Amino acid sequence: MPMPDLPVSALSISSIRTLRQCPERWRRRYIEREYEPPTGSMQLGKAAGAAETQSDHHWIAKGEPLDTDQVLDAFSDEWEIAKGEDVDWRGEKPDALKDAGASVLRAYHETVIPSSAAPVEAEREMRIDVEHPDGSAVEFVAYPDAELADGNVIDRKVTKQRWSPQKADADKQADAYLAVRRVEGDPASGFAFDTLVRTKTPYAERVPTTRTDEELDRFLAEILGAADEIAWRTETDTWSFAPDGAWWCSESACGYWSSCPAGGLLRRRAAQAVRNGGGD
């Protein structure tokens, strides 16, 4: 089928989230390909996820996951790779982050993994075409952390706070993975977020959530709506900013903030105008 005139080959849940938060940030990331340094927390999640993926692949191949010490060794190696990248640490100390990651991974392997079904897929690339009413199709891509032998799909989160059932119910990542599985013709039996909570006493828990067919239909419609919006914004070169007061429009949350006309650049210009006698 023909595809809408988009500047990207496929949409994903992360790209749609970025578009909804700030179209200008989407433009700079996906069209201009401007580098946005990851935060320390993002690198922690990346290293922990890579270590768990190694464990998943070992489980699939050998019939058992890596033991805790093996996972921690894998995490240490992955952390050194992640730490070597251009990271915006935002006041967090790398060594303290690494220790926190090791602690929650240990808790995860001691409490959640022993009672979990084995994975049958780990970070499988899932691609579907979402049919548009005009006869075109929008490609959507997803990479679930693990698909389990009991039919469930899981996504892992390293987080500072416990996830409530309400938070899991509101997260669109579940919509995305479950919708893709349904379009593939192999609906998942369930979905859960495996949360690795790096509080003072670290712990891990599996937080299940469900979606109705109507909710999955709405998510597929959201993909088409995002594609239409991107096509329109690209054609008209119309790129708005985050809503006033949005927490993600700040120096601590956006890597583009300092050079954004609606962020730090605006504030520097206003301060300069005041210094030059042009402000109120």
Side-chain angles (χ1 to χ4, degrees):
M1 292 183 183
M3 302 290 287
D5 188 14
L6 299 179
V8 293
S9 60
L11 297 182
S12 65
I13 184 61
S14 60
S15 69
I16 292 175
R17 279 175 171 167
T18 301
L19 178 70
R20 294 292 172 245
Q21 288 185 337
C22 178
E24 171 65 10
R25 190 177 190 177
W26 193 97
R27 181 191 70 83
R28 295 178 70 162
R29 178 179 296 176
Y30 292 100
I31 297 180
E32 301 301 329
R33 300 290 182 180
E34 291 184 30
Y35 180 69
E36 185 176 12
T39 66
S41 294
M42 291 169 63
Q43 293 301 80
L44 175 59
K46 179 180 178 180
E52 285 303 327
T53 297
Q54 289 187 40
S55 180
D56 288 338
H57 284 303
H58 187 275
W59 202 343
I60 293 168
K62 304 294 185 181
E64 61 182 10
L66 296 177
D67 65 34
T68 303
D69 289 339
Q70 290 172 320
V71 167
L72 294 182
D73 286 342
F75 168 68
S76 182
D77 292 341
E78 295 290 345
W79 177 253
E80 291 306 312
I81 295 172
K83 189 178 71 170
E85 299 176 9
D86 181 17
V87 181
D88 182 0
W89 295 103
R90 297 183 183 175
E92 296 200 82
K93 297 179 180 180
D95 289 344
L97 274 178
K98 181 182 179 181
D99 290 344
S103 295
V104 293
L105 281 172
R106 181 178 296 279
Y108 182 57
H109 272 259
E110 290 176 350
T111 59
V112 175
I113 290 297
S115 60
S116 176
V120 294
E121 296 282 357
E123 289 199 342
R124 176 173 68 94
E125 180 183 87
M126 305 193 301
R127 287 184 179 269
I128 61 168
D129 285 340
V130 183
E131 296 187 10
H132 197 284
D134 66 7
S136 65
V138 177
E139 190 171 21
F140 185 82
V141 62
Y143 300 87
D145 284 341
E147 296 163 85
L148 307 184
D150 61 5
N152 283 279
V153 177
I154 63 169
D155 186 76
R156 300 182 178 106
K157 302 289 187 187
V158 180
T159 176
K160 292 181 179 179
Q161 297 179 329
R162 179 181 180 272
W163 273 46
S164 66
Q166 292 75 21
K167 182 174 177 61
D169 290 344
D171 196 289
K172 291 291 184 178
Q173 204 153 16
D175 301 59
Y177 296 159
L178 291 174
V180 171
R181 280 283 297 261
R182 193 183 68 171
V183 171
E184 288 182 328
D186 183 23
S189 60
F191 185 94
F193 291 100
D194 280 3
T195 58
L196 288 68
V197 189
R198 56 184 185 98
T199 47
K200 185 175 181 180
T201 302
Y203 67 98
E205 63 180 347
R206 180 161 289 176
V207 185
T209 185
T210 61
R211 297 293 184 273
T212 65
D213 283 336
E214 289 77 13
E215 288 172 317
L216 299 187
D217 289 340
R218 284 198 294 270
F219 180 77
L220 294 174
E222 285 182 38
I223 295 174
L224 298 178
D228 287 343
E229 179 180 341
I230 291 166
W232 172 78
R233 289 186 181 280
T234 303
E235 181 180 358
T236 62
D237 196 25
T238 302
W239 301 96
S240 57
F241 303 101
D244 289 342
W247 65 263
W248 55 85
C249 184
S250 63
E251 188 174 10
S252 63
C254 179
Y256 303 127
W257 190 86
S258 63
S259 60
C260 179
L265 183 60
L266 173 66
R267 287 156 178 75
R268 289 199 302 274
R269 288 174 175 171
Q272 185 63 48
V274 170
R275 287 195 293 271
N276 293 340
D280 293 334

